[in-house]
mmCIF file of all heavy atoms in Angstrom:
data_model
loop_
_atom_site.group_PDB
_atom_site.id
_atom_site.type_symbol
_atom_site.label_atom_id
_atom_site.label_comp_id
_atom_site.label_asym_id
_atom_site.label_seq_id
_atom_site.Cartn_x
_atom_site.Cartn_y
_atom_site.Cartn_z
ATOM 1 N N MET A 300 32.992 -42.210 -44.649
ATOM 2 C CA MET A 300 31.595 -42.563 -44.927
ATOM 3 C C MET A 300 31.558 -43.861 -45.719
ATOM 4 O O MET A 300 32.445 -44.178 -46.497
ATOM 5 C CB MET A 300 30.914 -41.429 -45.702
ATOM 6 C CG MET A 300 30.531 -40.246 -44.836
ATOM 7 S SD MET A 300 29.530 -39.055 -45.721
ATOM 8 C CE MET A 300 30.717 -38.475 -46.920
ATOM 9 N N ARG A 341 10.471 -27.351 -57.906
ATOM 10 C CA ARG A 341 11.230 -26.264 -58.528
ATOM 11 C C ARG A 341 10.899 -26.045 -60.003
ATOM 12 O O ARG A 341 11.067 -24.955 -60.536
ATOM 13 C CB ARG A 341 12.741 -26.558 -58.404
ATOM 14 C CG ARG A 341 13.265 -26.542 -56.983
ATOM 15 C CD ARG A 341 13.550 -25.163 -56.468
ATOM 16 N NE ARG A 341 14.093 -25.229 -55.112
ATOM 17 C CZ ARG A 341 15.420 -25.216 -54.853
ATOM 18 N NH1 ARG A 341 16.285 -25.147 -55.829
ATOM 19 N NH2 ARG A 341 15.840 -25.285 -53.594
ATOM 20 N N LEU A 468 24.491 -42.990 -48.433
ATOM 21 C CA LEU A 468 25.695 -42.953 -47.638
ATOM 22 C C LEU A 468 25.368 -43.145 -46.156
ATOM 23 O O LEU A 468 24.288 -42.746 -45.700
ATOM 24 C CB LEU A 468 26.400 -41.596 -47.808
ATOM 25 C CG LEU A 468 27.026 -41.322 -49.166
ATOM 26 C CD1 LEU A 468 27.469 -39.839 -49.265
ATOM 27 C CD2 LEU A 468 28.243 -42.242 -49.383
ATOM 28 N N ALA A 470 27.123 -42.245 -42.419
ATOM 29 C CA ALA A 470 28.173 -41.546 -41.658
ATOM 30 C C ALA A 470 27.885 -41.778 -40.176
ATOM 31 O O ALA A 470 26.966 -41.200 -39.618
ATOM 32 C CB ALA A 470 28.146 -40.061 -41.962
ATOM 33 N N LEU A 473 24.172 -42.139 -38.965
ATOM 34 C CA LEU A 473 23.300 -41.394 -39.875
ATOM 35 C C LEU A 473 23.322 -42.004 -41.268
ATOM 36 O O LEU A 473 24.372 -42.247 -41.832
ATOM 37 C CB LEU A 473 23.772 -39.939 -39.935
ATOM 38 C CG LEU A 473 23.051 -39.034 -40.960
ATOM 39 C CD1 LEU A 473 21.584 -38.851 -40.568
ATOM 40 C CD2 LEU A 473 23.760 -37.687 -41.067
ATOM 41 N N THR A 474 22.120 -42.236 -41.809
ATOM 42 C CA THR A 474 21.987 -42.710 -43.192
ATOM 43 C C THR A 474 21.162 -41.714 -43.990
ATOM 44 O O THR A 474 20.149 -41.203 -43.515
ATOM 45 C CB THR A 474 21.321 -44.099 -43.247
ATOM 46 O OG1 THR A 474 20.064 -44.054 -42.563
ATOM 47 C CG2 THR A 474 22.207 -45.149 -42.647
ATOM 48 N N VAL A 475 21.613 -41.421 -45.217
ATOM 49 C CA VAL A 475 20.910 -40.537 -46.135
ATOM 50 C C VAL A 475 21.004 -41.129 -47.527
ATOM 51 O O VAL A 475 22.087 -41.475 -47.998
ATOM 52 C CB VAL A 475 21.521 -39.121 -46.118
ATOM 53 C CG1 VAL A 475 20.717 -38.192 -47.057
ATOM 54 C CG2 VAL A 475 21.589 -38.520 -44.708
ATOM 55 N N GLY A 476 19.886 -41.244 -48.199
ATOM 56 C CA GLY A 476 19.885 -41.828 -49.528
ATOM 57 C C GLY A 476 18.961 -41.091 -50.476
ATOM 58 O O GLY A 476 18.074 -40.323 -50.056
ATOM 59 N N ALA A 477 19.173 -41.329 -51.761
ATOM 60 C CA ALA A 477 18.352 -40.683 -52.813
ATOM 61 C C ALA A 477 17.961 -41.733 -53.836
ATOM 62 O O ALA A 477 18.725 -42.649 -54.142
ATOM 63 C CB ALA A 477 19.126 -39.566 -53.508
ATOM 64 N N ILE A 534 14.478 -38.164 -51.159
ATOM 65 C CA ILE A 534 15.540 -38.319 -50.177
ATOM 66 C C ILE A 534 14.951 -39.035 -48.975
ATOM 67 O O ILE A 534 13.866 -38.727 -48.525
ATOM 68 C CB ILE A 534 16.088 -36.948 -49.719
ATOM 69 C CG1 ILE A 534 16.763 -36.216 -50.872
ATOM 70 C CG2 ILE A 534 17.021 -37.099 -48.514
ATOM 71 C CD1 ILE A 534 18.069 -36.876 -51.323
ATOM 72 N N ALA A 535 15.654 -40.019 -48.452
ATOM 73 C CA ALA A 535 15.233 -40.712 -47.219
ATOM 74 C C ALA A 535 16.384 -40.706 -46.223
ATOM 75 O O ALA A 535 17.559 -40.851 -46.607
ATOM 76 C CB ALA A 535 14.814 -42.137 -47.516
ATOM 77 N N THR A 536 16.054 -40.504 -44.978
ATOM 78 C CA THR A 536 17.077 -40.479 -43.906
ATOM 79 C C THR A 536 16.471 -41.041 -42.634
ATOM 80 O O THR A 536 15.264 -41.024 -42.425
ATOM 81 C CB THR A 536 17.568 -39.047 -43.671
ATOM 82 O OG1 THR A 536 18.539 -39.045 -42.609
ATOM 83 C CG2 THR A 536 16.450 -38.097 -43.279
ATOM 84 N N ASN A 537 17.343 -41.533 -41.770
ATOM 85 C CA ASN A 537 16.894 -42.013 -40.457
ATOM 86 C C ASN A 537 16.985 -40.922 -39.392
ATOM 87 O O ASN A 537 16.770 -41.168 -38.207
ATOM 88 C CB ASN A 537 17.696 -43.246 -40.016
ATOM 89 C CG ASN A 537 19.178 -42.935 -39.780
ATOM 90 O OD1 ASN A 537 19.704 -41.910 -40.202
ATOM 91 N ND2 ASN A 537 19.850 -43.836 -39.101
ATOM 92 N N ALA A 538 17.267 -39.696 -39.817
ATOM 93 C CA ALA A 538 17.367 -38.562 -38.878
ATOM 94 C C ALA A 538 16.003 -38.164 -38.369
ATOM 95 O O ALA A 538 14.960 -38.408 -38.997
ATOM 96 C CB ALA A 538 18.047 -37.382 -39.548
ATOM 97 N N LYS A 539 15.991 -37.527 -37.218
ATOM 98 C CA LYS A 539 14.781 -36.933 -36.694
ATOM 99 C C LYS A 539 14.611 -35.528 -37.286
ATOM 100 O O LYS A 539 15.475 -34.654 -37.090
ATOM 101 C CB LYS A 539 14.835 -36.837 -35.148
ATOM 102 C CG LYS A 539 14.814 -38.153 -34.441
ATOM 103 C CD LYS A 539 14.897 -37.963 -32.917
ATOM 104 C CE LYS A 539 14.904 -39.310 -32.209
ATOM 105 N NZ LYS A 539 15.017 -39.153 -30.721
ATOM 106 N N LEU A 540 13.538 -35.331 -38.036
ATOM 107 C CA LEU A 540 13.268 -34.027 -38.648
ATOM 108 C C LEU A 540 11.797 -33.675 -38.458
ATOM 109 O O LEU A 540 10.936 -34.539 -38.464
ATOM 110 C CB LEU A 540 13.558 -34.063 -40.173
ATOM 111 C CG LEU A 540 14.982 -34.320 -40.622
ATOM 112 C CD1 LEU A 540 15.023 -34.414 -42.147
ATOM 113 C CD2 LEU A 540 15.928 -33.204 -40.138
ATOM 114 N N ALA A 543 9.009 -29.061 -41.216
ATOM 115 C CA ALA A 543 9.770 -27.913 -41.718
ATOM 116 C C ALA A 543 11.188 -28.323 -42.055
ATOM 117 O O ALA A 543 11.732 -27.906 -43.092
ATOM 118 C CB ALA A 543 9.768 -26.779 -40.685
ATOM 119 N N GLY A 544 11.778 -29.150 -41.220
ATOM 120 C CA GLY A 544 13.123 -29.626 -41.487
ATOM 121 C C GLY A 544 13.204 -30.478 -42.713
ATOM 122 O O GLY A 544 14.144 -30.382 -43.531
ATOM 123 N N ALA A 545 12.197 -31.330 -42.905
ATOM 124 C CA ALA A 545 12.148 -32.186 -44.116
ATOM 125 C C ALA A 545 12.000 -31.353 -45.380
ATOM 126 O O ALA A 545 12.603 -31.644 -46.404
ATOM 127 C CB ALA A 545 11.004 -33.179 -43.991
ATOM 128 N N ASN A 546 11.229 -30.279 -45.300
ATOM 129 C CA ASN A 546 11.096 -29.377 -46.420
ATOM 130 C C ASN A 546 12.431 -28.709 -46.745
ATOM 131 O O ASN A 546 12.798 -28.560 -47.927
ATOM 132 C CB ASN A 546 10.025 -28.294 -46.152
ATOM 133 C CG ASN A 546 8.634 -28.748 -46.502
ATOM 134 O OD1 ASN A 546 8.209 -28.695 -47.643
ATOM 135 N ND2 ASN A 546 7.904 -29.244 -45.489
ATOM 136 N N LYS A 547 13.209 -28.354 -45.716
ATOM 137 C CA LYS A 547 14.501 -27.744 -45.946
ATOM 138 C C LYS A 547 15.467 -28.735 -46.591
ATOM 139 O O LYS A 547 16.222 -28.373 -47.501
ATOM 140 C CB LYS A 547 15.094 -27.241 -44.629
ATOM 141 C CG LYS A 547 16.432 -26.554 -44.749
ATOM 142 C CD LYS A 547 16.362 -25.337 -45.670
ATOM 143 C CE LYS A 547 17.704 -24.626 -45.760
ATOM 144 N NZ LYS A 547 17.658 -23.480 -46.679
ATOM 145 N N VAL A 548 15.434 -29.979 -46.145
ATOM 146 C CA VAL A 548 16.314 -30.989 -46.738
ATOM 147 C C VAL A 548 15.966 -31.221 -48.180
ATOM 148 O O VAL A 548 16.832 -31.355 -49.058
ATOM 149 C CB VAL A 548 16.242 -32.296 -45.918
ATOM 150 C CG1 VAL A 548 16.881 -33.462 -46.681
ATOM 151 C CG2 VAL A 548 16.909 -32.114 -44.559
ATOM 152 N N ALA A 549 14.671 -31.256 -48.497
ATOM 153 C CA ALA A 549 14.235 -31.394 -49.900
ATOM 154 C C ALA A 549 14.769 -30.261 -50.736
ATOM 155 O O ALA A 549 15.214 -30.433 -51.855
ATOM 156 C CB ALA A 549 12.704 -31.465 -49.983
ATOM 157 N N SER A 550 14.753 -29.051 -50.171
ATOM 158 C CA SER A 550 15.263 -27.874 -50.870
ATOM 159 C C SER A 550 16.756 -27.989 -51.101
ATOM 160 O O SER A 550 17.254 -27.742 -52.221
ATOM 161 C CB SER A 550 14.952 -26.623 -50.060
ATOM 162 O OG SER A 550 15.523 -25.474 -50.637
ATOM 163 N N MET A 551 17.491 -28.397 -50.094
ATOM 164 C CA MET A 551 18.965 -28.515 -50.211
ATOM 165 C C MET A 551 19.318 -29.612 -51.197
ATOM 166 O O MET A 551 20.330 -29.507 -51.914
ATOM 167 C CB MET A 551 19.589 -28.769 -48.870
ATOM 168 C CG MET A 551 19.444 -27.620 -47.875
ATOM 169 S SD MET A 551 20.054 -27.983 -46.227
ATOM 170 C CE MET A 551 21.830 -27.890 -46.497
ATOM 171 N N ALA A 552 18.498 -30.650 -51.295
ATOM 172 C CA ALA A 552 18.790 -31.760 -52.197
ATOM 173 C C ALA A 552 18.759 -31.314 -53.666
ATOM 174 O O ALA A 552 19.374 -31.959 -54.532
ATOM 175 C CB ALA A 552 17.785 -32.893 -51.982
ATOM 176 N N HIS A 553 18.014 -30.243 -53.980
ATOM 177 C CA HIS A 553 17.992 -29.756 -55.353
ATOM 178 C C HIS A 553 19.363 -29.267 -55.834
ATOM 179 O O HIS A 553 19.590 -29.161 -57.034
ATOM 180 C CB HIS A 553 16.978 -28.600 -55.468
ATOM 181 C CG HIS A 553 15.587 -29.058 -55.765
ATOM 182 N ND1 HIS A 553 15.163 -29.433 -57.017
ATOM 183 C CD2 HIS A 553 14.526 -29.212 -54.950
ATOM 184 C CE1 HIS A 553 13.908 -29.767 -56.982
ATOM 185 N NE2 HIS A 553 13.486 -29.676 -55.720
ATOM 186 N N ASN A 554 20.298 -29.050 -54.888
ATOM 187 C CA ASN A 554 21.669 -28.729 -55.316
ATOM 188 C C ASN A 554 22.254 -29.886 -56.098
ATOM 189 O O ASN A 554 23.089 -29.700 -56.990
ATOM 190 C CB ASN A 554 22.545 -28.442 -54.109
ATOM 191 C CG ASN A 554 22.195 -27.118 -53.446
ATOM 192 O OD1 ASN A 554 21.683 -26.195 -54.103
ATOM 193 N ND2 ASN A 554 22.442 -26.996 -52.150
ATOM 194 N N GLY A 555 21.801 -31.118 -55.813
ATOM 195 C CA GLY A 555 22.238 -32.279 -56.587
ATOM 196 C C GLY A 555 21.803 -32.225 -58.017
ATOM 197 O O GLY A 555 22.517 -32.640 -58.932
ATOM 198 N N PHE A 556 20.584 -31.695 -58.246
ATOM 199 C CA PHE A 556 20.108 -31.474 -59.617
ATOM 200 C C PHE A 556 20.969 -30.402 -60.282
ATOM 201 O O PHE A 556 21.353 -30.535 -61.462
ATOM 202 C CB PHE A 556 18.624 -31.005 -59.620
ATOM 203 C CG PHE A 556 17.632 -32.082 -59.381
ATOM 204 C CD1 PHE A 556 18.012 -33.401 -59.075
ATOM 205 C CD2 PHE A 556 16.262 -31.837 -59.467
ATOM 206 C CE1 PHE A 556 17.064 -34.386 -58.847
ATOM 207 C CE2 PHE A 556 15.310 -32.801 -59.251
ATOM 208 C CZ PHE A 556 15.713 -34.079 -58.941
ATOM 209 N N ARG A 558 23.975 -29.591 -59.885
ATOM 210 C CA ARG A 558 25.329 -30.009 -60.161
ATOM 211 C C ARG A 558 25.406 -31.014 -61.341
ATOM 212 O O ARG A 558 26.500 -31.263 -61.858
ATOM 213 C CB ARG A 558 25.944 -30.715 -58.937
ATOM 214 C CG ARG A 558 26.146 -29.795 -57.726
ATOM 215 C CD ARG A 558 26.502 -30.619 -56.507
ATOM 216 N NE ARG A 558 26.471 -29.811 -55.297
ATOM 217 C CZ ARG A 558 26.490 -30.306 -54.053
ATOM 218 N NH1 ARG A 558 26.525 -31.641 -53.905
ATOM 219 N NH2 ARG A 558 26.468 -29.514 -53.010
ATOM 220 N N ILE A 572 11.404 -32.867 -55.567
ATOM 221 C CA ILE A 572 12.080 -33.779 -54.628
ATOM 222 C C ILE A 572 11.282 -33.830 -53.313
ATOM 223 O O ILE A 572 10.945 -32.793 -52.742
ATOM 224 C CB ILE A 572 13.523 -33.306 -54.325
ATOM 225 C CG1 ILE A 572 14.390 -33.342 -55.609
ATOM 226 C CG2 ILE A 572 14.148 -34.216 -53.241
ATOM 227 C CD1 ILE A 572 15.813 -32.840 -55.396
ATOM 228 N N PHE A 573 11.008 -35.029 -52.869
ATOM 229 C CA PHE A 573 10.389 -35.283 -51.550
ATOM 230 C C PHE A 573 11.513 -35.678 -50.578
ATOM 231 O O PHE A 573 12.555 -36.215 -50.990
ATOM 232 C CB PHE A 573 9.378 -36.413 -51.606
ATOM 233 C CG PHE A 573 8.185 -36.146 -52.456
ATOM 234 C CD1 PHE A 573 8.167 -36.505 -53.805
ATOM 235 C CD2 PHE A 573 7.069 -35.523 -51.911
ATOM 236 C CE1 PHE A 573 7.049 -36.242 -54.598
ATOM 237 C CE2 PHE A 573 5.941 -35.271 -52.697
ATOM 238 C CZ PHE A 573 5.941 -35.639 -54.023
ATOM 239 N N ALA A 574 11.307 -35.425 -49.308
ATOM 240 C CA ALA A 574 12.245 -35.853 -48.267
ATOM 241 C C ALA A 574 11.457 -36.625 -47.200
ATOM 242 O O ALA A 574 10.409 -36.147 -46.728
ATOM 243 C CB ALA A 574 12.982 -34.684 -47.638
ATOM 244 N N LEU A 575 11.965 -37.780 -46.809
ATOM 245 C CA LEU A 575 11.352 -38.619 -45.775
ATOM 246 C C LEU A 575 12.323 -38.795 -44.638
ATOM 247 O O LEU A 575 13.503 -39.088 -44.848
ATOM 248 C CB LEU A 575 10.975 -39.999 -46.342
ATOM 249 C CG LEU A 575 10.086 -40.046 -47.575
ATOM 250 C CD1 LEU A 575 9.967 -41.496 -48.057
ATOM 251 C CD2 LEU A 575 8.720 -39.482 -47.243
ATOM 252 N N ALA A 576 11.847 -38.652 -43.383
ATOM 253 C CA ALA A 576 12.674 -38.812 -42.217
ATOM 254 C C ALA A 576 12.009 -39.791 -41.242
ATOM 255 O O ALA A 576 10.912 -39.509 -40.762
ATOM 256 C CB ALA A 576 12.919 -37.468 -41.532
ATOM 257 N N ALA A 582 20.394 -35.596 -35.535
ATOM 258 C CA ALA A 582 21.432 -35.193 -36.514
ATOM 259 C C ALA A 582 21.248 -33.738 -36.856
ATOM 260 O O ALA A 582 20.112 -33.205 -36.910
ATOM 261 C CB ALA A 582 21.314 -36.042 -37.778
ATOM 262 N N ASP A 583 22.328 -33.059 -37.149
ATOM 263 C CA ASP A 583 22.334 -31.678 -37.589
ATOM 264 C C ASP A 583 21.674 -31.590 -38.958
ATOM 265 O O ASP A 583 22.130 -32.252 -39.919
ATOM 266 C CB ASP A 583 23.777 -31.178 -37.634
ATOM 267 C CG ASP A 583 23.879 -29.719 -38.108
ATOM 268 O OD1 ASP A 583 22.868 -29.103 -38.460
ATOM 269 O OD2 ASP A 583 25.035 -29.225 -38.107
ATOM 270 N N ILE A 584 20.664 -30.774 -39.093
ATOM 271 C CA ILE A 584 19.950 -30.682 -40.368
ATOM 272 C C ILE A 584 20.864 -30.199 -41.501
ATOM 273 O O ILE A 584 20.680 -30.558 -42.660
ATOM 274 C CB ILE A 584 18.726 -29.740 -40.251
ATOM 275 C CG1 ILE A 584 17.857 -29.799 -41.508
ATOM 276 C CG2 ILE A 584 19.149 -28.301 -39.941
ATOM 277 C CD1 ILE A 584 16.561 -29.070 -41.393
ATOM 278 N N ASN A 585 21.889 -29.425 -41.174
ATOM 279 C CA ASN A 585 22.819 -28.946 -42.202
ATOM 280 C C ASN A 585 23.617 -30.102 -42.789
ATOM 281 O O ASN A 585 23.883 -30.145 -43.986
ATOM 282 C CB ASN A 585 23.764 -27.906 -41.603
ATOM 283 C CG ASN A 585 23.053 -26.660 -41.119
ATOM 284 O OD1 ASN A 585 22.510 -25.915 -41.904
ATOM 285 N ND2 ASN A 585 22.976 -26.508 -39.812
ATOM 286 N N VAL A 586 23.979 -31.068 -41.928
ATOM 287 C CA VAL A 586 24.697 -32.231 -42.424
ATOM 288 C C VAL A 586 23.778 -33.124 -43.243
ATOM 289 O O VAL A 586 24.176 -33.604 -44.304
ATOM 290 C CB VAL A 586 25.294 -33.043 -41.211
ATOM 291 C CG1 VAL A 586 25.970 -34.326 -41.727
ATOM 292 C CG2 VAL A 586 26.288 -32.174 -40.430
ATOM 293 N N VAL A 587 22.547 -33.300 -42.748
ATOM 294 C CA VAL A 587 21.583 -34.106 -43.529
ATOM 295 C C VAL A 587 21.399 -33.468 -44.900
ATOM 296 O O VAL A 587 21.366 -34.159 -45.933
ATOM 297 C CB VAL A 587 20.239 -34.216 -42.776
ATOM 298 C CG1 VAL A 587 19.228 -34.984 -43.633
ATOM 299 C CG2 VAL A 587 20.431 -34.896 -41.440
ATOM 300 N N GLY A 588 21.255 -32.147 -44.947
ATOM 301 C CA GLY A 588 21.005 -31.440 -46.211
ATOM 302 C C GLY A 588 22.170 -31.550 -47.170
ATOM 303 O O GLY A 588 21.986 -31.744 -48.391
ATOM 304 N N LEU A 589 23.392 -31.396 -46.677
ATOM 305 C CA LEU A 589 24.533 -31.475 -47.582
ATOM 306 C C LEU A 589 24.735 -32.871 -48.113
ATOM 307 O O LEU A 589 25.095 -33.067 -49.282
ATOM 308 C CB LEU A 589 25.803 -30.917 -46.908
ATOM 309 C CG LEU A 589 26.520 -31.732 -45.845
ATOM 310 C CD1 LEU A 589 27.505 -32.720 -46.448
ATOM 311 C CD2 LEU A 589 27.268 -30.792 -44.884
ATOM 312 N N LEU A 590 24.452 -33.869 -47.257
ATOM 313 C CA LEU A 590 24.520 -35.241 -47.735
ATOM 314 C C LEU A 590 23.398 -35.563 -48.717
ATOM 315 O O LEU A 590 23.585 -36.315 -49.662
ATOM 316 C CB LEU A 590 24.484 -36.219 -46.569
ATOM 317 C CG LEU A 590 25.715 -36.251 -45.665
ATOM 318 C CD1 LEU A 590 25.506 -37.222 -44.485
ATOM 319 C CD2 LEU A 590 26.955 -36.658 -46.459
ATOM 320 N N ALA A 591 22.246 -34.952 -48.501
ATOM 321 C CA ALA A 591 21.112 -35.149 -49.431
ATOM 322 C C ALA A 591 21.509 -34.666 -50.833
ATOM 323 O O ALA A 591 21.205 -35.313 -51.825
ATOM 324 C CB ALA A 591 19.883 -34.413 -48.921
ATOM 325 N N ALA A 592 22.164 -33.504 -50.892
ATOM 326 C CA ALA A 592 22.609 -33.010 -52.211
ATOM 327 C C ALA A 592 23.638 -33.924 -52.820
ATOM 328 O O ALA A 592 23.626 -34.189 -54.025
ATOM 329 C CB ALA A 592 23.175 -31.602 -52.059
ATOM 330 N N ARG A 593 24.537 -34.448 -51.988
ATOM 331 C CA ARG A 593 25.603 -35.326 -52.496
ATOM 332 C C ARG A 593 25.047 -36.634 -53.038
ATOM 333 O O ARG A 593 25.422 -37.096 -54.111
ATOM 334 C CB ARG A 593 26.624 -35.597 -51.374
ATOM 335 C CG ARG A 593 27.874 -36.300 -51.865
ATOM 336 C CD ARG A 593 28.894 -36.404 -50.739
ATOM 337 N NE ARG A 593 29.360 -35.113 -50.260
ATOM 338 C CZ ARG A 593 30.275 -34.977 -49.292
ATOM 339 N NH1 ARG A 593 30.811 -36.063 -48.718
ATOM 340 N NH2 ARG A 593 30.620 -33.783 -48.911
ATOM 341 N N VAL A 594 24.130 -37.275 -52.273
ATOM 342 C CA VAL A 594 23.615 -38.553 -52.749
ATOM 343 C C VAL A 594 22.684 -38.353 -53.959
ATOM 344 O O VAL A 594 22.628 -39.225 -54.855
ATOM 345 C CB VAL A 594 22.865 -39.330 -51.630
ATOM 346 C CG1 VAL A 594 23.866 -39.713 -50.534
ATOM 347 C CG2 VAL A 594 21.710 -38.529 -51.043
ATOM 348 N N MET A 595 21.961 -37.242 -54.015
ATOM 349 C CA MET A 595 21.136 -36.979 -55.161
ATOM 350 C C MET A 595 21.980 -36.782 -56.435
ATOM 351 O O MET A 595 21.656 -37.266 -57.506
ATOM 352 C CB MET A 595 20.227 -35.773 -54.934
ATOM 353 C CG MET A 595 19.260 -35.485 -56.098
ATOM 354 S SD MET A 595 18.120 -36.876 -56.417
ATOM 355 C CE MET A 595 16.958 -36.701 -55.062
ATOM 356 N N GLU A 596 23.098 -36.098 -56.264
ATOM 357 C CA GLU A 596 24.031 -35.914 -57.395
ATOM 358 C C GLU A 596 24.446 -37.244 -57.960
ATOM 359 O O GLU A 596 24.404 -37.474 -59.179
ATOM 360 C CB GLU A 596 25.236 -35.145 -56.883
ATOM 361 C CG GLU A 596 26.395 -35.010 -57.851
ATOM 362 C CD GLU A 596 27.616 -34.403 -57.178
ATOM 363 O OE1 GLU A 596 27.460 -33.407 -56.418
ATOM 364 O OE2 GLU A 596 28.750 -34.897 -57.422
#
Side-chain angles (χ1 to χ4, degrees):
M300 283 187 294
R341 295 278 182 95
L468 290 169
L473 174 65
T474 54
V475 182
I534 294 293
T536 178
N537 66 344
K539 293 180 181 178
L540 297 176
N546 274 277
K547 182 60 178 177
V548 168
S550 176
M551 295 175 75
H553 272 280
N554 290 332
F556 283 6
R558 295 170 189 166
I572 297 177
F573 295 92
L575 304 175
D583 180 356
I584 189 173
N585 298 291
V586 176
V587 177
L589 74 86
L590 289 177
R593 190 174 297 180
V594 295
M595 184 59 77
E596 173 188 316

